[in-house]
Amino acid sequence: MATSLSQMPGYRYAEYLVILNPHEDLRNRINNLKKEVADIYKAFSATGSKPHISLARFTVWEMMEDKIVNSLKVTSMALPAFKVQLKDFGSFPKHTIYIDVQSKLPIQSIVRELRSSRRLMRSPDHEPFFITDPYIPIARKLTSEQYDKAW
């Protein structure tokens, strides 16, 4: 009987999310908007996460964390500074409302760089996910009624 590494004792998975964190003033403004959406539309999932732009999501063995962090540090040191431009709102119909990121190219360039560490972000049971269309979520997991009212 064959046993995969994911089923062996001592091998624990951890989930990771690589994000861009807005500066404090913008973060506060977005948090106020998220609170307003939660209060007005009873969409309490809006306040469940901090404002961010997701870049990558992956699940790997915990023992890989130091290698991944070092790889991400090296990658981030080589990146040029850039401005993130936000404009308007967008949605994934019936469940999510977000702030649209207009300056997609610099963020997509970062994601391409992150892909160079893909081998560290893979595990036998999980493939990494890299964002292709950046945005800042305002409210997720809305009911159809909440979405229709808020949108």
XYZ file of all heavy atoms in Angstrom, residues 65-121:
460
model
N 8.655 26.942 4.904
C 8.424 28.370 5.126
C 9.691 29.216 5.049
O 9.711 30.251 4.379
C 7.728 28.592 6.467
C 7.342 30.044 6.672
C 6.452 30.253 7.878
O 5.608 29.372 8.171
O 6.589 31.297 8.518
N 10.767 28.833 5.705
C 11.998 29.635 5.688
C 12.541 29.806 4.275
O 12.966 30.900 3.889
C 13.068 29.006 6.584
C 12.746 29.161 8.066
O 11.918 30.033 8.416
O 13.308 28.395 8.874
N 12.536 28.737 3.483
C 13.015 28.822 2.103
C 12.145 29.764 1.279
O 12.652 30.547 0.475
C 13.040 27.441 1.453
C 14.138 26.548 1.963
C 14.123 25.220 1.252
C 15.217 24.331 1.805
N 15.284 23.040 1.141
N 10.835 29.685 1.471
C 9.914 30.539 0.720
C 10.100 32.001 1.114
O 10.182 32.879 0.250
C 8.453 30.087 0.927
C 8.248 28.717 0.282
C 7.477 31.112 0.365
C 6.951 28.041 0.664
N 10.203 32.269 2.407
C 10.394 33.648 2.875
C 11.684 34.222 2.304
O 11.713 35.363 1.821
C 10.368 33.718 4.420
C 10.852 35.075 4.918
C 8.963 33.426 4.935
N 12.761 33.460 2.332
C 14.027 33.940 1.771
C 13.907 34.220 0.280
O 14.415 35.230 -0.218
C 15.150 32.933 2.036
C 15.578 32.941 3.484
O 15.424 33.933 4.191
N 16.101 31.819 3.945
N 13.235 33.345 -0.438
C 13.037 33.546 -1.874
C 12.213 34.813 -2.136
O 12.533 35.590 -3.042
C 12.345 32.325 -2.476
O 12.087 32.539 -3.837
N 11.173 35.024 -1.349
C 10.340 36.219 -1.513
C 11.116 37.500 -1.184
O 10.943 38.521 -1.846
C 9.086 36.127 -0.651
C 8.079 35.057 -1.046
C 6.955 34.969 -0.022
C 7.529 35.300 -2.442
N 11.991 37.439 -0.184
C 12.816 38.602 0.152
C 13.731 38.961 -1.008
O 13.868 40.132 -1.374
C 13.647 38.327 1.405
C 12.870 38.420 2.683
C 13.773 38.135 3.881
C 12.990 38.169 5.169
N 13.828 37.866 6.340
N 14.381 37.963 -1.585
C 15.288 38.210 -2.718
C 14.504 38.805 -3.890
O 14.937 39.778 -4.510
C 16.011 36.903 -3.129
C 16.735 37.066 -4.451
C 16.970 36.469 -2.034
N 13.359 38.229 -4.175
C 12.523 38.725 -5.272
C 12.087 40.168 -5.015
O 12.183 41.017 -5.899
C 11.276 37.832 -5.452
O 11.705 36.512 -5.772
C 10.375 38.351 -6.559
N 11.643 40.469 -3.802
C 11.117 41.806 -3.513
C 12.206 42.873 -3.529
O 11.949 44.014 -3.898
C 10.375 41.823 -2.181
O 11.243 41.565 -1.107
N 13.435 42.523 -3.167
C 14.520 43.509 -3.173
C 14.856 43.964 -4.590
O 15.354 45.072 -4.776
C 15.761 42.945 -2.490
C 15.608 42.869 -0.985
S 17.131 42.447 -0.115
C 17.417 40.780 -0.656
N 14.579 43.148 -5.567
C 14.914 43.482 -6.952
C 13.800 44.273 -7.652
O 13.984 44.710 -8.782
C 15.207 42.203 -7.724
N 12.673 44.459 -6.994
C 11.540 45.121 -7.638
C 11.635 46.641 -7.530
O 11.974 47.166 -6.470
C 10.227 44.665 -6.990
C 9.895 43.191 -7.131
C 8.681 42.849 -6.279
C 9.645 42.838 -8.588
N 11.297 47.340 -8.596
C 11.295 48.813 -8.535
C 10.038 49.313 -7.811
O 9.015 48.627 -7.762
C 11.257 49.219 -10.015
C 10.564 48.073 -10.684
C 10.969 46.838 -9.917
N 10.121 50.501 -7.268
C 8.949 51.123 -6.645
C 7.957 51.521 -7.738
O 8.343 51.799 -8.877
C 9.374 52.348 -5.856
N 6.684 51.546 -7.402
C 5.655 51.950 -8.357
C 4.423 52.431 -7.601
O 4.259 52.129 -6.420
C 5.290 50.800 -9.305
C 4.663 49.620 -8.611
C 3.282 49.501 -8.530
C 5.449 48.638 -8.048
C 2.705 48.425 -7.887
C 4.880 47.553 -7.409
C 3.504 47.447 -7.329
N 3.586 53.177 -8.280
C 2.332 53.642 -7.699
C 1.216 52.693 -8.089
O 1.167 52.208 -9.218
C 1.968 55.029 -8.225
C 2.713 56.153 -7.583
C 2.147 57.484 -8.066
C 2.849 58.624 -7.381
N 2.281 59.916 -7.763
N 0.331 52.463 -7.150
C -0.868 51.675 -7.433
C -2.005 52.668 -7.609
O -2.283 53.465 -6.718
C -1.179 50.689 -6.292
C -2.487 49.973 -6.544
C -0.047 49.691 -6.130
N -2.628 52.633 -8.766
C -3.743 53.525 -9.055
C -5.051 52.741 -8.961
O -5.201 51.695 -9.599
C -3.588 54.141 -10.446
C -2.353 55.003 -10.552
C -2.109 55.476 -11.966
O -2.381 54.763 -12.924
N -1.582 56.674 -12.086
N -5.966 53.287 -8.163
C -7.264 52.666 -7.962
C -8.331 53.550 -8.578
O -8.231 54.778 -8.526
C -7.548 52.498 -6.467
C -6.472 51.788 -5.649
C -6.821 51.823 -4.177
C -6.309 50.360 -6.134
N -9.377 52.915 -9.147
C -10.448 53.704 -9.733
C -11.701 52.847 -9.848
O -11.655 51.741 -10.384
C -10.069 54.223 -11.119
C -11.120 55.125 -11.724
C -10.691 55.659 -13.067
C -11.794 56.541 -13.626
N -11.492 56.978 -14.970
N -12.781 53.384 -9.358
C -14.095 52.764 -9.511
C -14.196 51.440 -8.759
O -13.280 51.016 -8.064
C -14.448 52.566 -10.989
C -14.524 53.882 -11.748
O -14.861 54.902 -11.131
O -14.234 53.877 -12.960
N -15.350 50.836 -8.925
C -15.635 49.557 -8.299
C -15.893 48.521 -9.383
O -16.280 48.858 -10.489
C -16.869 49.657 -7.389
C -16.659 50.562 -6.215
C -17.025 51.893 -6.272
C -16.079 50.082 -5.049
C -16.825 52.734 -5.196
C -15.874 50.917 -3.965
C -16.247 52.248 -4.039
N -15.686 47.293 -9.024
C -16.007 46.182 -9.903
C -16.666 45.112 -9.064
O -16.793 45.249 -7.841
N -17.090 44.040 -9.728
C -17.730 42.974 -8.963
C -17.604 41.639 -9.676
O -17.360 41.577 -10.880
C -19.202 43.290 -8.735
O -19.950 43.128 -9.918
N -17.754 40.610 -8.873
C -17.988 39.271 -9.379
C -19.463 39.055 -9.082
O -19.846 38.942 -7.906
C -17.107 38.234 -8.687
C -15.627 38.511 -8.855
C -14.805 38.659 -7.752
C -15.074 38.629 -10.116
C -13.455 38.917 -7.906
C -13.727 38.882 -10.282
C -12.910 39.031 -9.174
N -20.293 39.092 -10.110
C -21.741 39.136 -9.910
C -22.261 38.152 -8.867
O -21.879 36.992 -8.850
C -22.295 38.836 -11.299
C -21.249 39.386 -12.208
C -19.939 39.075 -11.518
N -23.076 38.739 -8.039
C -23.857 38.065 -6.994
C -23.090 37.692 -5.736
O -23.676 37.134 -4.826
C -24.601 36.838 -7.544
C -25.580 37.172 -8.649
C -26.669 38.092 -8.145
C -27.652 38.423 -9.253
N -28.579 39.468 -8.877
N -21.754 37.986 -5.642
C -21.091 37.617 -4.397
C -19.955 38.519 -3.931
O -19.612 38.497 -2.751
C -20.597 36.171 -4.443
C -19.581 35.895 -5.498
N -18.256 36.199 -5.352
C -19.715 35.332 -6.718
C -17.600 35.827 -6.433
N -18.465 35.302 -7.282
N -19.335 39.324 -4.798
C -18.167 40.104 -4.388
C -18.176 41.491 -5.024
O -18.453 41.629 -6.214
C -16.856 39.383 -4.793
O -16.829 38.111 -4.158
C -15.625 40.169 -4.395
N -17.812 42.503 -4.210
C -17.619 43.869 -4.697
C -16.197 44.277 -4.329
O -15.731 43.989 -3.222
C -18.655 44.826 -4.072
C -20.065 44.420 -4.520
C -18.347 46.277 -4.460
C -21.183 45.189 -3.847
N -15.519 44.934 -5.262
C -14.121 45.290 -5.033
C -13.795 46.648 -5.629
O -14.554 47.202 -6.418
C -13.191 44.224 -5.614
C -13.350 43.980 -7.097
C -12.707 44.788 -8.037
C -14.137 42.930 -7.569
C -12.856 44.553 -9.395
C -14.284 42.692 -8.916
C -13.643 43.507 -9.827
O -13.789 43.278 -11.181
N -12.623 47.187 -5.231
C -12.066 48.401 -5.835
C -11.155 47.940 -6.957
O -10.296 47.073 -6.763
C -11.265 49.225 -4.812
C -12.168 49.674 -3.661
C -10.621 50.438 -5.490
C -11.418 50.322 -2.508
N -11.327 48.529 -8.123
C -10.545 48.127 -9.291
C -9.151 48.755 -9.259
O -8.994 49.932 -8.942
C -11.270 48.529 -10.571
C -10.694 47.857 -11.794
O -10.134 46.755 -11.664
O -10.806 48.427 -12.891
N -8.153 47.974 -9.581
C -6.774 48.446 -9.700
C -6.535 48.799 -11.159
O -6.658 47.947 -12.035
C -5.771 47.365 -9.221
C -4.342 47.811 -9.484
C -5.985 47.055 -7.746
N -6.199 50.060 -11.415
C -5.952 50.523 -12.779
C -4.524 50.213 -13.243
O -4.294 49.952 -14.413
C -6.193 52.034 -12.879
C -7.642 52.422 -12.655
C -8.527 51.938 -13.785
O -8.387 52.377 -14.915
N -9.426 51.018 -13.477
N -3.580 50.273 -12.329
C -2.166 50.048 -12.665
C -1.836 48.561 -12.558
O -1.081 48.134 -11.690
C -1.275 50.876 -11.735
O -1.630 50.647 -10.389
N -2.390 47.784 -13.452
C -2.258 46.326 -13.403
C -0.865 45.830 -13.810
O -0.368 44.851 -13.263
C -3.317 45.673 -14.288
C -4.732 45.910 -13.799
C -5.732 45.215 -14.688
C -7.154 45.564 -14.407
N -7.611 45.562 -13.064
N -0.231 46.480 -14.772
C 1.031 45.964 -15.314
C 2.136 45.796 -14.280
O 2.784 44.743 -14.247
C 1.501 46.825 -16.483
C 0.634 46.743 -17.747
C 1.156 47.666 -18.826
C 0.559 45.313 -18.252
N 2.397 46.779 -13.396
C 3.452 46.558 -12.398
C 3.143 45.390 -11.459
O 4.041 44.638 -11.079
C 3.518 47.866 -11.615
C 2.792 48.869 -12.419
C 1.852 48.133 -13.313
N 1.878 45.230 -11.111
C 1.489 44.137 -10.219
C 1.611 42.799 -10.944
O 2.121 41.820 -10.390
C 0.073 44.369 -9.669
C 0.085 45.630 -8.800
C -0.425 43.158 -8.889
C -1.273 46.122 -8.374
N 1.205 42.763 -12.196
C 1.345 41.531 -12.972
C 2.819 41.173 -13.162
O 3.173 39.999 -13.202
C 0.620 41.672 -14.310
C -0.886 41.708 -14.142
C -1.623 42.156 -15.392
O -1.067 42.816 -16.272
N -2.904 41.812 -15.456
N 3.669 42.184 -13.232
C 5.109 41.946 -13.328
C 5.634 41.301 -12.042
O 6.462 40.388 -12.084
C 5.830 43.265 -13.595
O 7.208 43.076 -13.630
N 5.138 41.751 -10.895
C 5.527 41.147 -9.619
C 5.092 39.680 -9.591
O 5.844 38.802 -9.165
C 4.907 41.917 -8.434
C 5.516 43.306 -8.326
C 5.091 41.148 -7.132
C 4.819 44.204 -7.325
N 3.893 39.433 -10.046
C 3.376 38.054 -10.049
C 4.251 37.174 -10.942
O 4.550 36.032 -10.583
C 1.888 38.021 -10.470
C 1.405 36.596 -10.673
C 1.028 38.738 -9.433
N 4.684 37.697 -12.087
C 5.592 36.921 -12.951
C 6.882 36.573 -12.198
O 7.407 35.466 -12.313
C 5.913 37.687 -14.228
C 4.896 37.489 -15.323
C 5.373 37.993 -16.670
N 5.694 39.417 -16.688
C 4.791 40.388 -16.803
N 3.519 40.111 -16.903
N 5.165 41.648 -16.808
N 7.395 37.531 -11.434
C 8.600 37.273 -10.638
C 8.328 36.211 -9.571
O 9.176 35.359 -9.309
C 9.111 38.562 -9.979
C 9.695 39.562 -10.947
C 10.941 39.035 -11.642
O 11.765 38.357 -10.994
O 11.100 39.295 -12.848
N 7.152 36.268 -8.961
C 6.802 35.275 -7.940
C 6.743 33.871 -8.538
O 7.075 32.886 -7.871
C 5.460 35.608 -7.296
C 5.432 36.818 -6.374
C 4.005 37.101 -5.929
C 6.348 36.611 -5.180
N 6.331 33.792 -9.777
C 6.246 32.485 -10.438
C 7.605 31.791 -10.512
O 7.684 30.572 -10.587
C 5.668 32.623 -11.839
C 4.182 32.862 -11.850
C 3.704 33.000 -13.300
N 2.322 33.355 -13.368
C 1.316 32.476 -13.420
N 1.567 31.195 -13.430
N 0.075 32.888 -13.477
N 8.688 32.582 -10.452
C 10.020 31.977 -10.486
C 10.274 31.137 -9.234
O 11.159 30.278 -9.223
C 11.097 33.049 -10.658
O 11.158 33.873 -9.508
N 9.494 31.383 -8.171
C 9.602 30.585 -6.938
C 8.534 29.498 -6.881
O 8.330 28.884 -5.839
C 9.453 31.490 -5.714
O 10.466 32.459 -5.696
N 7.895 29.255 -7.981
C 6.774 28.307 -8.044
C 7.129 26.921 -7.490
O 6.332 26.313 -6.795
C 6.300 28.188 -9.492
C 5.138 27.258 -9.666
C 4.769 27.108 -11.146
N 3.482 26.490 -11.218
C 2.378 27.092 -11.577
N 2.411 28.344 -11.940
N 1.242 26.446 -11.599
N 8.318 26.453 -7.771
C 8.694 25.109 -7.320
C 8.666 25.007 -5.800
O 8.378 23.944 -5.255
C 10.048 24.695 -7.871
C 11.197 25.521 -7.376
C 12.551 25.038 -7.919
N 13.603 25.919 -7.509
C 14.088 25.998 -6.278
N 13.631 25.245 -5.338
N 15.055 26.857 -5.988
N 8.954 26.113 -5.094
C 8.888 26.112 -3.634
C 7.442 26.168 -3.137
O 7.172 25.822 -1.992
C 9.654 27.310 -3.062
C 11.158 27.337 -3.286
C 11.739 28.656 -2.784
C 11.821 26.162 -2.596
N 6.533 26.630 -3.985
C 5.132 26.830 -3.591
C 4.241 25.658 -3.973
O 3.038 25.716 -3.800
C 4.600 28.109 -4.247
C 5.315 29.353 -3.842
S 4.696 30.762 -4.780
C 5.857 32.020 -4.317
